Amino acid sequence: MSSQTLNPQNTSVSPLDNIRIVLVNTSHPGNIGAVARAMKNMCLSQLYLVEPRKYPHDEATWRAASADDVLNSAVVCETLADAISGCQLVIGTSARERTVPWPLLDPRHCMERAYTEANADHKVAVVFGREDRGLTNDELQRCNLHVHIPANPDYSSLNIAMAVQVLSYELRMAQLSGELSHNDMADWDVPVAGAEDLERYLVHLEETLRDINFLRPEAPKKLMTRLRRLYQRTRLDEMEVNILRGVLTSTQYWVRKAKSKDGGSGGESL
Ligand code: SAH
């Protein structure tokens, strides 16, 4: 499939402009500059910084070298939610295994997928963690997919700018190869839901599960994490999110009505 057929409205803009690199809570300004340089070398330009510890900073400017344009146009956000707002595909990076496994791809396949979606005009975020602790579980659970660079198992943690370099290079290769992996949502009838729509749905779901007394201390461990993973994997579209939220609203309505009839004697009879 040619890029023209996937991106009919906007052929002059590079699909790489639909891909943002998000750095969460970076400590060292030098790393931020080195990331800007790694990105520009591979034709990426959209840098988002979530609560950087020191930015702007001379060290960042120095390490960015001639990528100071990427650095200076970086968008600084207060929360990860702000940085991934509007993104239909969110990819989390991790240097190690996590307790609940998530859909995980290697850098090549993951970045081919990211490029293919960007080429179909989806906004994509690739999220990188803190130098000392990586991303929290909560942050990783806001991602549709995870990617791990298969480094030395005994020493798998790369410097953040090096990790950005590896993934940006794979994006560049996906662009140059012109080989687009199959995008099963390219001709979808409704736009894929953005990260913030899904997050609102998941908050609503949790609230409703409490209302119907399903989410109790004795509920299976990591219940919400497993439900999050289920929905992140599904890639809901905007209409599907609206339908599901309608189901929740109606559930809440009837449960509240039943509880008030019950005279507030407790929800166990439901
Ligand atoms: N000690 C941290 C490592 C953080 S390294 C931890 O155990 O999680 C800083 C960031 O670089 C990571 O959050 C991730 O975004 C990226 N990174 C480093 N090594 C990586 C790898 N092997 N695969 C994918 N991302 C990696």
Side-chain angles (χ1 to χ4, degrees):
M1 215 179 298
S2 75
S3 55
Q4 279 77 2
T5 52
L6 278 177
N7 189 5
Q9 305 92 348
N10 218 353
T11 45
S12 60
V13 174
S14 163
L16 294 179
D17 293 338
N18 284 331
I19 303 181
R20 58 183 77 163
I21 299 293
V22 179
L23 307 184
V24 178
N25 225 199
T26 314
S27 320
H28 301 293
N31 279 337
I32 299 177
V35 164
R37 180 174 185 171
M39 288 171 61
K40 188 167 177 181
N41 283 143
M42 298 297 139
C43 304
L44 287 158
S45 59
Q46 307 299 308
L47 176 60
Y48 283 64
L49 306 172
V50 179
E51 277 196 315
R53 305 267 172 87
K54 293 178 194 161
Y55 177 83
H57 196 280
D58 285 350
E59 182 91 5
T61 308
W62 181 64
R63 292 287 300 277
S66 294
D68 51 347
D69 52 339
V70 171
L71 187 67
N72 295 337
S73 60
V75 179
V76 178
C77 304
E78 278 180 20
T79 64
L80 176 60
D82 292 339
I84 62 176
S85 169
C87 290
Q88 286 106 339
L89 177 65
V90 182
I91 297 170
T93 58
S94 178
R96 60 196 156 97
E97 301 264 319
R98 302 288 169 149
T99 38
V100 179
W102 217 253
L104 179 72
L105 287 177
D106 65 63
R108 187 144 310 156
H109 290 106
C110 193
M111 294 303 105
E112 274 174 6
R113 168 90 180 271
Y115 184 78
T116 305
E117 294 223 8
N119 198 45
D121 238 359
H122 285 172
K123 299 280 180 214
V124 178
V126 189
V127 186
F128 294 81
R130 302 153 187 84
E131 290 95 328
D132 52 347
R133 297 183 289 122
L135 293 167
T136 63
N137 285 334
D138 180 65
E139 287 159 352
L140 282 165
Q141 286 168 17
R142 285 172 183 251
C143 301
N144 304 109
L145 277 176
H146 291 169
V147 61
H148 170 71
I149 300 165
N152 178 352
D154 296 328
Y155 189 48
S156 63
S157 174
L158 278 74
N159 164 271
I160 185 171
M162 307 285 181
V164 170
Q165 188 72 81
V166 170
L167 296 179
S168 313
Y169 170 73
E170 291 295 347
L171 283 168
R172 175 78 176 140
M173 287 305 286
Q175 181 186 39
L176 292 177
S177 77
E179 255 177 50
L180 299 174
S181 52
H182 183 61
N183 176 10
D184 55 5
M185 293 186 84
D187 295 322
W188 212 249
D189 53 345
V190 175
V192 178
E196 66 281 21
D197 297 332
L198 191 60
E199 191 55 33
R200 267 195 294 273
Y201 169 70
L202 287 165
V203 169
H204 194 174
L205 176 65
E206 182 166 352
E207 186 189 287
T208 311
L209 293 179
R210 286 188 204 287
D211 288 351
I212 63 169
N213 217 11
F214 188 78
L215 199 60
R216 290 180 288 183
E218 61 272 29
K221 268 200 170 164
K222 303 197 188 298
L223 181 80
M224 276 319 295
T225 301
R226 290 183 184 280
L227 286 171
R228 271 183 172 272
R229 182 174 66 174
L230 169 72
Y231 285 106
Q232 292 287 10
R233 213 165 67 219
T234 312
R235 309 293 309 286
L236 297 171
D237 69 36
E238 286 175 359
M239 194 185 289
E240 289 163 342
V241 171
N242 284 339
I243 294 168
L244 287 171
R245 290 205 61 179
V247 171
L248 295 181
T249 304
S250 174
T251 305
Q252 286 181 314
Y253 171 81
W254 286 105
V255 98
R256 275 169 198 163
K257 203 162 160 141
K259 276 181 183 167
S260 65
K261 255 199 203 149
D262 207 25
S265 65
E268 290 304 321
S269 57
L270 286 167

